[in-house]
């Protein structure tokens, strides 16, 4: 009876979804020679890979927040299916980087990490505690008094001290956990504004305050989070509303303070809050750019208003940031975060999560076009994963957001009901023992909340390793399983900043010629003679 039920459901599924049973395999893949040739091409490419042992003039770090390996796989398929392909054969741009490692993501005090402790690791080179930012693991969460004297600096600080320009691009609030570890020191990631610090003992500064008053030399800051920089009674220019719970009560207009600082130093600066203003910014005439496009986080790419009244994409922000930063002859450090991958996963909304990966992939492609592999180290990684996975045995090319096309003779579900290929270990949409029949449900809709095995208000992070993709000078140093705090040490060593500033007896590549500069050649020859 169960087999008959499954067979009937399979027939109905095929009819509704207008599919044919069996895998969707491109014809050329049925020829064994296709796979032999493909493997030989890959082998030739790998054998021809050369290490770039020169100094990295520039470093660009892309952080896919929550972008675990399963998310990368699903996003790859999603991207391919958006282009009318089966999807599995698709490659995200950063997956073609020649160097690959893994990062262990645990916090000092947690097996499964959060985005603050991990950010401290991959930006400051020191593992931290859960929910703490830019401080050593001697600082317990929310302990402001213990924080004093236990601050740690970041790759942004080291790069700025070396005379480089620095920038931050994120689709979250600029005061959120991941970007905040670049410039702030806080025993609590949620102390984003002074309204979040009522009753806190000690003299700790909120994160927004630290961004504006303690880090006035950051050339580019682009993201969301206006509310923590605005006066308590200020009306938001976009929404026309006032957020009494988050806007500042200390009488400081931090956006105005940012502009006044630049004016006092005779720096060309611009503050923008919508796409039209952003598009009008001329990088050639801009020393400092502050863009705050939402009161809180920026919009999902699927929902982004692309008009002048809306906001720029992560690729557009990356482009503008590089245009401004690359004017510095000493080079630059740029942090770019695809933050909303994480937010969508927490709400078990995989279509939005995967689309955010594709949007960040476009930003990576933009950066690749604008820089040269010989003098720019590019690192793409994640802070942590999610309890998100790809299940069942769907046929090739099956919609990654759809239902598993069933094979009743082999692996049909025991209850005869359909289920989605993508599934969460915990989260908000739990069936409480009675699975929903999804036959007539559009699971591909951006707002469809996918099911989870354990009921929780928000889906949680995962604890497994995340990938590190790298190309450029010293990228080959990512080659095995590393502790996450290893990442900024490689970036610093490659670019000769921080404690590695004097460990720089490597040549500097000339991008124009693609060869070692003449000065470096002479220097190396002298060393050889000696």
């Amino acid at each position: 009876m169960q087999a008959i039920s499954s067979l009937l459901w399979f027939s109905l599924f095929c009819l509704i979804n207008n599919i044919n049973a069996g895998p969707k395999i491109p014809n050329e893949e049925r020829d064994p020679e296709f796979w032999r040739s493909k493997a030989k091409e890959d082998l030739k490419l790998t054998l021809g890979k050369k290490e770039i042992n020169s100094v990295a003039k520039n470093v660009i770090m892309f952080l896919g927040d929550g972008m675990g390996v399963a998310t990368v796989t699903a996003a790859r398929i999603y991207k391919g299916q958006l282009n009318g392909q089966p999807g599995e054969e698709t490659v995200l741009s950063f997956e073609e980087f020649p160097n690959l490692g893994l990062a262990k993501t645990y916090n000092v005090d947690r097996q499964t990490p959060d985005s603050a402790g991990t950010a401290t690791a991959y930006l400051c080179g020191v593992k931290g505690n859960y929910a703490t930012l830019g401080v050593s693991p001697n600082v317990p969460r929310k302990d402001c008094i213990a924080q004093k004297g236990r601050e740690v600096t970041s790759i942004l600080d080291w790069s700025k001290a070396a005379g480089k320009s620095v920038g931050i691009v994120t689709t979250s609030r600029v005061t959120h956990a991941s970007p905040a570890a670049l410039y702030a020191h806080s025993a609590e990631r949620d102390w984003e504004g002074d309204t979040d610090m009522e009753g806190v003992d000690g003299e700790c500064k909120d994160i927004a305050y630290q961004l504006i008053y303690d880090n006035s030399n950051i050339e580019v800051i682009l993201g969301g989070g206006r509310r923590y920089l605005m006066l308590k009674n200020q009306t938001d220019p976009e929404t026309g509303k006032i957020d009494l719970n988050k806007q500042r009560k200390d009488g400081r207009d931090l956006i105005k303070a940012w502009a006044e600082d630049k004016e006092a130093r005779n720096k060309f600066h611009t503050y923008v809050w919508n796409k039209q203003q952003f598009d009008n910014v001329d990088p050639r005439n801009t020393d400092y750019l502050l863009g705050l496009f939402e009161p809180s986080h920026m919009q999902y790419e699927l929902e982004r208003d692309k008009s002048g009244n809306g906001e720029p994409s992560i690729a557009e922000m990356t482009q503008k940031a590089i245009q401004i930063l690359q004017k510095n002859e000493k080079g630059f450090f740029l942090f770019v975060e695809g933050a909303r991958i994480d937010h969508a996963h927490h709400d078990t909304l995989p279509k939005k999560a995967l689309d955010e990966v594709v949007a960040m992939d476009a930003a990576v492609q933009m950066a690749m076009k604008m820089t040269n592999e010989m003098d720019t180290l590019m690192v793409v990684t994640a802070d942590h994963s999610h309890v998100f996975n790809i299940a069942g045995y769907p046929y090739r090319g099956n919609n990654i957001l759809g239902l598993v096309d069933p094979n009743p003779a082999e692996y049909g579900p025991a209850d005869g009901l359909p289920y989605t290929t993508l599934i969460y270990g915990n989260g908000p949409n739990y069936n409480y023992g009675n699975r929903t029949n999804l036959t007539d449900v559009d699971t591909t809709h951006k707002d469809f909340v996918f099911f989870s095995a354990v009921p929780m208000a928000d889906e949680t992070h995962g604890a497994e390793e995340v990938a590190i993709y790298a190309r450029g000078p010293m990228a080959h140093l990512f080659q095995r399983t590393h502790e996450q705090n290893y990442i900024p040490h490689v970036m610093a060593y490659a670019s000769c900043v921080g404690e590695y500033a004097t460990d720089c007896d490597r040549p500097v590549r000339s991008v124009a010629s693609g060869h070692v500069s003449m000065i470096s050649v002479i220097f190396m020859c002298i060393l050889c003679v000696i």
Side-chain angles (χ1 to χ4, degrees):
M1 181 64 69
Q2 180 177 308
I4 295 174
S5 174
S6 296
L7 184 59
L8 289 173
W9 173 76
F10 177 55
S11 300
L12 180 60
F13 176 88
C14 291
L15 179 64
I16 291 174
N17 293 278
N18 193 28
I19 64 169
N20 295 316
K24 300 176 180 178
I25 302 175
N27 288 332
E28 65 270 19
E29 293 187 15
R30 298 183 184 277
D31 182 357
E33 189 56 36
F34 169 84
W35 296 105
R36 295 190 186 101
S37 297
K38 194 173 182 65
K40 289 175 182 177
E41 290 173 8
D42 198 355
L43 180 60
K44 182 179 180 181
L45 185 65
T46 303
L47 288 171
K49 186 180 78 170
K50 298 185 183 301
E51 296 179 356
I52 303 176
N53 287 290
S54 53
V55 174
K57 177 182 179 181
N58 313 308
V59 174
I60 305 176
M61 181 179 187
F62 284 89
L63 192 282
D65 198 310
M67 191 179 70
V69 172
T71 299
V72 173
T73 302
R76 175 197 312 141
I77 297 172
Y78 173 78
K79 178 183 177 182
Q81 292 181 349
L82 286 177
N83 294 317
Q85 303 299 320
E88 294 83 0
E89 72 296 325
T90 303
V91 179
L92 297 167
S93 63
F94 52 85
E95 291 185 287
E96 296 188 297
F97 285 9
N99 302 282
L100 176 67
L102 293 173
K104 297 162 66 176
T105 64
Y106 65 92
N107 296 145
V108 169
D109 62 341
R110 294 288 180 100
Q111 191 173 72
T112 301
D114 86 310
S115 293
T118 52
T120 302
Y122 64 74
L123 293 174
C124 302
V126 175
K127 284 224 174 194
N129 289 328
Y130 183 91
T132 64
L133 281 167
V135 292
S136 80
N138 290 316
V139 179
R141 183 179 185 182
K142 295 183 182 294
D143 192 337
C144 171
I145 296 174
Q147 176 182 317
K148 188 174 181 180
R150 290 171 173 161
E151 300 85 358
V152 293
T153 55
S154 76
I155 182 70
L156 181 144
D157 298 313
W158 313 333
S159 299
K160 177 54 70 172
K164 297 178 182 289
S165 293
V166 295
I168 300 170
V169 170
T170 180
T171 53
S172 72
R173 295 188 294 269
V174 295
T175 53
H176 209 235
S178 301
L182 284 164
Y183 60 82
H185 312 285
S186 181
E188 173 54 60
R189 60 176 287 175
D190 291 336
W191 291 343
E192 294 185 57
D194 65 331
T195 52
D196 296 328
M197 298 189 67
E198 294 181 1
V200 174
D201 294 328
E203 300 178 352
C204 295
K205 304 171 186 176
D206 65 86
I207 294 170
Y209 180 102
Q210 293 182 61
L211 173 61
I212 300 304
Y213 287 106
D214 299 342
N215 294 274
S216 60
N217 283 325
I218 299 177
E219 281 85 355
V220 177
I221 305 170
L222 298 172
R226 283 192 301 265
R227 66 192 191 190
Y228 286 114
L229 284 74
M230 295 172 59
L231 287 169
K232 186 172 185 177
N233 295 318
Q234 275 185 310
T235 300
D236 187 87
E238 181 181 11
T239 66
K241 299 178 180 179
I242 297 174
D243 189 341
L244 295 176
N245 294 320
K246 298 298 181 182
Q247 291 177 207
R248 305 194 68 81
K249 64 178 183 179
D250 62 359
R252 299 179 187 273
D253 182 337
L254 296 190
I255 296 173
K256 182 179 179 181
W258 177 88
E260 289 176 343
D261 169 75
K262 309 305 176 281
E263 290 168 3
R265 293 192 282 140
N266 294 317
K267 299 295 184 180
F268 293 104
H269 63 282
T270 304
Y271 165 66
V272 298
W273 59 265
N274 65 29
K275 189 175 187 302
Q276 181 175 347
Q277 296 171 348
F278 173 85
D279 289 343
N280 289 338
V281 172
D282 185 347
R284 296 170 298 181
N285 302 322
T286 304
D287 299 320
Y288 289 85
L289 175 61
L290 173 62
L292 300 173
F293 304 103
E294 286 286 339
S296 185
H297 302 306
M298 294 182 68
Q299 297 297 309
Y300 286 112
E301 180 63 23
L302 277 172
E303 300 170 339
R304 182 172 64 89
D305 180 356
K306 300 176 177 62
S307 74
N309 295 323
E311 55 197 44
S313 68
I314 186 172
E316 290 169 334
M317 291 191 292
T318 298
Q319 179 184 32
K320 189 84 72 175
I322 292 175
Q323 288 172 333
I324 293 172
L325 299 176
Q326 67 185 3
K327 294 184 296 183
N328 188 336
E329 293 183 355
K330 293 185 178 180
F332 64 85
F333 169 79
L334 174 62
F335 175 78
V336 181
E337 182 195 18
R340 307 225 63 193
I341 302 166
D342 177 72
H343 302 160
H345 273 323
H346 280 307
D347 292 332
T348 64
L349 296 169
K351 182 168 187 174
K352 290 182 177 180
L354 303 185
D355 199 75
E356 291 298 300
V357 176
V358 173
M360 191 185 80
D361 185 55
V364 174
Q365 293 178 61
M366 177 64 72
M368 292 170 67
K369 292 177 183 177
M370 299 181 68
T371 58
N372 190 296
E373 186 177 10
M374 302 310 295
D375 72 352
T376 300
L377 171 63
M378 199 174 298
V379 178
V380 180
T381 188
D383 46 356
H384 54 74
S385 68
H386 280 265
V387 289
F388 166 79
N389 218 323
I390 305 171
Y393 298 91
Y395 283 119
R396 174 76 178 277
N398 191 58
N399 193 322
I400 192 64
L401 296 166
L403 305 176
V404 174
D405 42 9
N407 191 331
E410 296 182 74
Y411 303 106
D415 59 7
L417 294 176
Y419 62 102
T420 54
T421 302
L422 304 179
I423 194 166
Y424 288 89
N426 56 44
N429 199 2
Y430 176 69
N431 275 280
Y432 290 93
N434 296 305
R435 290 214 304 130
T436 301
N437 190 335
L438 297 173
T439 302
D440 298 317
V441 177
D442 181 10
T443 61
T444 68
H445 192 277
K446 65 181 178 65
D447 293 320
F448 178 74
V449 181
F450 275 55
F451 291 106
S452 57
V454 178
M456 296 188 72
D458 297 294
E459 179 265 2
T460 70
H461 297 166
E464 71 272 17
E465 285 73 42
V466 295
I468 312 167
Y469 308 88
R471 75 167 210 167
M474 310 312 294
H476 56 276
L477 297 179
F478 296 110
Q479 57 177 307
R480 55 185 177 81
T481 300
H482 305 280
E483 292 287 358
Q484 195 169 37
N485 67 295
Y486 173 77
I487 296 173
H489 285 269
V490 173
M491 295 191 294
Y493 178 78
S495 56
C496 298
V497 302
E499 60 185 286
Y500 303 99
T502 58
D503 191 4
C504 234
D505 58 350
R506 287 166 279 132
V508 178
R509 289 278 184 175
S510 171
V511 172
S513 65
H515 299 290
V516 179
S517 67
M518 183 58 68
I519 294 176
S520 297
V521 170
I522 295 172
F523 176 72
M524 294 300 288
C525 289
I526 293 173
L527 286 179
C528 292
V529 172
I530 293 174

